[in-house]
Amino acid sequence: MFSSASSRLLLRRLPSPLLSQAAAASKMSRGKVTHSSGALIAKHTRFLSTASPPPPTQTMANANSPPPEKIAPEAGLGAQDAMKLFIQHGVGRRKLNEIAAEKGTTPLVDRWQKMVATYIETQCHVITLLGYTPDERGIGLYTQHLQQALASASPEVQDMLRIAGRDTYRMVLANAFDLPLMEEQESKGEMSIVDARNVMHKVSLRMQAPEVLEKVAKICSTSVAMTDSTEAQQIDMARKHTVIQQVMVDDVYLSGGSSSLVSECGFGEGEDGYVKLQFQLAEHQGDPLISQYVGAAMMKLMESAGIDLAALQQQAQAQGQA
């Protein structure tokens, strides 16, 4: 679903959609990152997958025509409705069911990556019908147009889109991990913004713990790139992203068993507790303080992994001019 140059670097949400806010966070985290570098952090921390299916074939609607120049908020709401349809009843639901069936035989990180690959593949199909290309550039342009449209939309419309996106993501989580998350949320209600900030502050501190940073640095110290080619470097970059994600799950959220961070926050132990926490945090994915916490911590992890943000910025600029 992405171009060949980007297929090994799926734009993937890290353990929660909150981490996709690293772009906003970078502008607030001690003034160390420029706006363009911040966008790169968002791009390379939101989705960290090492494999993806090939890009879908473009439809006649956009194969030989330029992409849209703008989009109405109503189109964004319609796109979310279409996403929900495919996730509930279409190919997306079948793929999520297959992922759920792998519990106990496939590691959590691998299943999470498959889940997000399914999410993005579905999104690509939806935005194609709006005239965008079914790849990374198309998703980026669609997101940009939607943000521009929301800037002048009423608060009511803005909140409708926020809720629609949150609920779609939650639906994907519930189906991929076969948990009654929607029903539990209805009975318990939403996590408060104070509790969400406290949780993510704990997460950010744990992300920056010396032993966590050292582990990432040690694992990533040896490159798997056999040549200096762009393709080889992308493979190595994908490996580093996956290392970060694995350490996030094992050493930040789940380390300690009954005394793990997810247990301390009241979500139970192990994988199910982790998924339940991410489900609840989705309500506050746009909070600027949470974004600041996560952005600063994610920068530390990426530096420990040897990820060169300046090089990523140059690569993104080159792709944008291509």
Side-chain angles (χ1 to χ4, degrees):
M1 59 192 153
F2 286 105
S3 62
S4 58
S6 306
S7 62
R8 289 179 177 83
L9 288 175
L10 266 179
L11 293 175
R12 184 196 180 288
R13 293 186 189 204
L14 259 179
S16 95
L18 299 170
L19 302 194
S20 70
Q21 303 303 316
S26 64
K27 293 187 288 184
M28 294 180 276
S29 57
R30 306 171 192 173
K32 291 184 179 179
V33 187
T34 63
H35 173 76
S36 54
S37 297
L40 279 164
I41 294 176
K43 173 182 175 181
H44 290 278
T45 58
R46 184 179 181 189
F47 295 116
L48 306 181
S49 178
T50 57
S52 67
T57 304
Q58 289 185 330
T59 64
M60 291 303 294
N62 60 3
N64 299 306
S65 61
E69 296 182 356
K70 61 181 180 179
I71 190 173
E74 292 78 10
L77 288 169
Q80 288 296 338
D81 288 340
M83 286 280 292
K84 290 180 181 178
L85 174 66
F86 296 139
I87 293 301
Q88 285 181 309
H89 306 290
V91 175
R93 178 59 180 269
R94 185 172 70 243
K95 290 184 177 181
L96 293 174
N97 289 345
E98 292 171 353
I99 295 168
E102 295 178 3
K103 184 175 183 178
T105 60
T106 303
L108 170 61
V109 169
D110 292 345
R111 283 179 284 134
W112 197 284
Q113 292 176 342
K114 291 180 180 180
M115 175 194 76
V116 179
T118 299
Y119 179 95
I120 297 177
E121 184 179 59
T122 304
Q123 185 180 31
C124 281
H125 283 299
V126 170
I127 67 171
T128 297
L129 299 178
L130 293 173
Y132 297 91
T133 55
D135 52 24
E136 178 181 341
R137 184 175 298 180
I139 290 178
L141 186 59
Y142 166 77
T143 302
Q144 176 186 334
H145 287 170
L146 191 57
Q147 290 173 342
Q148 292 171 348
L150 286 176
S152 58
S154 67
E156 292 77 14
V157 171
Q158 293 179 5
D159 202 46
M160 287 173 63
L161 269 167
R162 180 191 67 81
I163 292 173
R166 177 203 67 189
D167 290 349
T168 302
Y169 176 67
R170 284 178 165 179
M171 186 182 300
V172 170
L173 270 178
N175 289 331
F177 295 96
D178 193 24
L179 292 173
L181 301 176
M182 306 297 283
E183 294 81 359
E184 290 182 8
Q185 190 278 325
E186 290 179 1
S187 63
K188 295 180 179 179
E190 297 290 353
M191 175 187 288
S192 72
I193 184 61
V194 173
D195 288 342
R197 287 172 174 174
N198 287 338
V199 168
M200 292 313 296
H201 185 251
K202 293 177 181 179
V203 170
S204 67
L205 292 178
R206 181 61 183 161
M207 289 168 68
Q208 299 175 80
E211 62 271 22
V212 172
L213 298 177
E214 289 170 7
K215 181 173 182 177
V216 170
K218 182 178 181 179
I219 298 174
C220 295
S221 60
T222 303
S223 175
V224 298
M226 303 301 293
T227 68
D228 292 331
S229 68
T230 300
E231 190 78 3
Q233 295 302 317
Q234 287 176 341
I235 292 173
D236 192 51
M237 180 73 70
R239 182 185 70 92
K240 291 178 178 179
H241 282 316
T242 300
V243 168
I244 290 175
Q245 186 186 354
Q246 190 69 63
V247 170
M248 284 282 294
V249 172
D250 293 343
D251 298 87
V252 174
Y253 285 96
L254 300 184
S255 177
S258 60
S259 60
S260 67
L261 192 149
V262 293
S263 296
E264 179 185 338
C265 295
F267 290 90
E269 300 179 23
E271 173 184 311
D272 288 358
Y274 172 77
V275 174
K276 290 177 182 179
L277 174 58
Q278 304 311 323
F279 184 93
Q280 284 293 325
L281 289 172
E283 168 65 14
H284 304 293
Q285 60 182 301
D287 179 67
L289 186 56
I290 289 176
S291 297
Q292 182 178 353
Y293 292 154
V294 174
M298 185 54 61
M299 285 178 61
K300 292 288 187 181
L301 278 177
M302 294 178 74
E303 289 171 359
S304 295
I307 296 176
D308 188 342
L309 291 178
L312 291 178
Q313 182 177 350
Q314 293 176 357
Q315 178 184 350
Q317 291 174 341
Q319 290 177 349
Q321 295 172 357

